[in-house]
PDB file of all heavy atoms in Angstrom:
ATOM      1  N   CYS N  65     143.346  80.054 132.926  1.00  0.00           N
ATOM      2  CA  CYS N  65     142.879  78.701 132.655  1.00  0.00           C
ATOM      3  C   CYS N  65     142.285  78.208 133.841  1.00  0.00           C
ATOM      4  O   CYS N  65     141.325  77.345 133.821  1.00  0.00           O
ATOM      5  CB  CYS N  65     143.997  77.800 132.268  1.00  0.00           C
ATOM      6  SG  CYS N  65     144.941  78.381 130.836  1.00  0.00           S
ATOM      7  N   VAL N  70     135.293  77.576 131.035  1.00  0.00           N
ATOM      8  CA  VAL N  70     135.464  77.215 129.692  1.00  0.00           C
ATOM      9  C   VAL N  70     134.308  76.199 129.411  1.00  0.00           C
ATOM     10  O   VAL N  70     134.299  75.006 129.725  1.00  0.00           O
ATOM     11  CB  VAL N  70     136.747  76.495 129.469  1.00  0.00           C
ATOM     12  CG1 VAL N  70     136.922  76.076 127.928  1.00  0.00           C
ATOM     13  CG2 VAL N  70     137.999  77.340 129.785  1.00  0.00           C
ATOM     14  N   LEU N  73     134.551  72.846 127.707  1.00  0.00           N
ATOM     15  CA  LEU N  73     135.248  71.800 128.429  1.00  0.00           C
ATOM     16  C   LEU N  73     134.495  71.450 129.645  1.00  0.00           C
ATOM     17  O   LEU N  73     134.993  70.778 130.544  1.00  0.00           O
ATOM     18  CB  LEU N  73     136.701  72.186 128.811  1.00  0.00           C
ATOM     19  CG  LEU N  73     137.606  72.406 127.626  1.00  0.00           C
ATOM     20  CD1 LEU N  73     138.977  72.976 128.116  1.00  0.00           C
ATOM     21  CD2 LEU N  73     137.795  71.248 126.731  1.00  0.00           C
ATOM     22  N   CYS N  81     142.171  73.307 134.630  1.00  0.00           N
ATOM     23  CA  CYS N  81     141.785  72.652 133.291  1.00  0.00           C
ATOM     24  C   CYS N  81     142.786  71.449 133.069  1.00  0.00           C
ATOM     25  O   CYS N  81     143.870  71.501 133.381  1.00  0.00           O
ATOM     26  CB  CYS N  81     142.100  73.662 132.173  1.00  0.00           C
ATOM     27  SG  CYS N  81     141.795  72.966 130.455  1.00  0.00           S
ATOM     28  N   TYR N  83     144.043  70.536 130.527  1.00  0.00           N
ATOM     29  CA  TYR N  83     145.084  70.708 129.450  1.00  0.00           C
ATOM     30  C   TYR N  83     146.127  71.718 129.947  1.00  0.00           C
ATOM     31  O   TYR N  83     147.038  72.008 129.196  1.00  0.00           O
ATOM     32  CB  TYR N  83     144.511  71.235 128.144  1.00  0.00           C
ATOM     33  CG  TYR N  83     143.469  70.234 127.672  1.00  0.00           C
ATOM     34  CD1 TYR N  83     142.109  70.507 127.479  1.00  0.00           C
ATOM     35  CD2 TYR N  83     143.988  68.966 127.053  1.00  0.00           C
ATOM     36  CE1 TYR N  83     141.273  69.601 126.943  1.00  0.00           C
ATOM     37  CE2 TYR N  83     142.996  68.030 126.565  1.00  0.00           C
ATOM     38  CZ  TYR N  83     141.659  68.385 126.481  1.00  0.00           C
ATOM     39  OH  TYR N  83     140.812  67.520 125.991  1.00  0.00           O
ATOM     40  N   ALA N  84     145.957  72.203 131.215  1.00  0.00           N
ATOM     41  CA  ALA N  84     147.030  73.143 131.629  1.00  0.00           C
ATOM     42  C   ALA N  84     148.151  72.394 132.309  1.00  0.00           C
ATOM     43  O   ALA N  84     147.948  71.537 133.212  1.00  0.00           O
ATOM     44  CB  ALA N  84     146.338  74.087 132.704  1.00  0.00           C
ATOM     45  N   CYS N  88     149.561  75.678 128.025  1.00  0.00           N
ATOM     46  CA  CYS N  88     148.375  74.949 127.384  1.00  0.00           C
ATOM     47  C   CYS N  88     148.938  73.761 126.511  1.00  0.00           C
ATOM     48  O   CYS N  88     149.526  74.023 125.495  1.00  0.00           O
ATOM     49  CB  CYS N  88     147.447  75.754 126.697  1.00  0.00           C
ATOM     50  SG  CYS N  88     146.100  74.966 125.842  1.00  0.00           S
ATOM     51  N   PRO N  95     139.824  75.990 122.973  1.00  0.00           N
ATOM     52  CA  PRO N  95     138.447  76.486 122.604  1.00  0.00           C
ATOM     53  C   PRO N  95     138.243  77.936 122.498  1.00  0.00           C
ATOM     54  O   PRO N  95     139.030  78.709 123.006  1.00  0.00           O
ATOM     55  CB  PRO N  95     137.621  75.965 123.794  1.00  0.00           C
ATOM     56  CG  PRO N  95     138.359  74.849 124.418  1.00  0.00           C
ATOM     57  CD  PRO N  95     139.821  75.201 124.096  1.00  0.00           C
ATOM     58  N   CYS N  98     138.596  80.166 125.502  1.00  0.00           N
ATOM     59  CA  CYS N  98     140.001  80.494 125.987  1.00  0.00           C
ATOM     60  C   CYS N  98     140.566  81.672 125.244  1.00  0.00           C
ATOM     61  O   CYS N  98     141.380  82.422 125.756  1.00  0.00           O
ATOM     62  CB  CYS N  98     140.929  79.254 125.824  1.00  0.00           C
ATOM     63  SG  CYS N  98     140.222  77.773 126.468  1.00  0.00           S
TER      64      CYS N  98
HETATM   65  S1  SF4 P 539     142.343  74.496 127.064  1.00  0.00           S
HETATM   66 FE1  SF4 P 539     144.317  75.464 127.225  1.00  0.00          FE
HETATM   67  S2  SF4 P 539     144.006  77.704 127.155  1.00  0.00           S
HETATM   68 FE2  SF4 P 539     141.984  76.692 127.599  1.00  0.00          FE
HETATM   69  S3  SF4 P 539     141.686  76.667 129.763  1.00  0.00           S
HETATM   70 FE3  SF4 P 539     142.700  74.757 129.189  1.00  0.00          FE
HETATM   71  S4  SF4 P 539     144.876  75.110 129.422  1.00  0.00           S
HETATM   72 FE4  SF4 P 539     143.902  77.033 129.275  1.00  0.00          FE
END
Side-chain angles (χ1 to χ4, degrees):
C65 305
V70 181
L73 301 176
C81 175
Y83 298 114
C88 175
C98 309

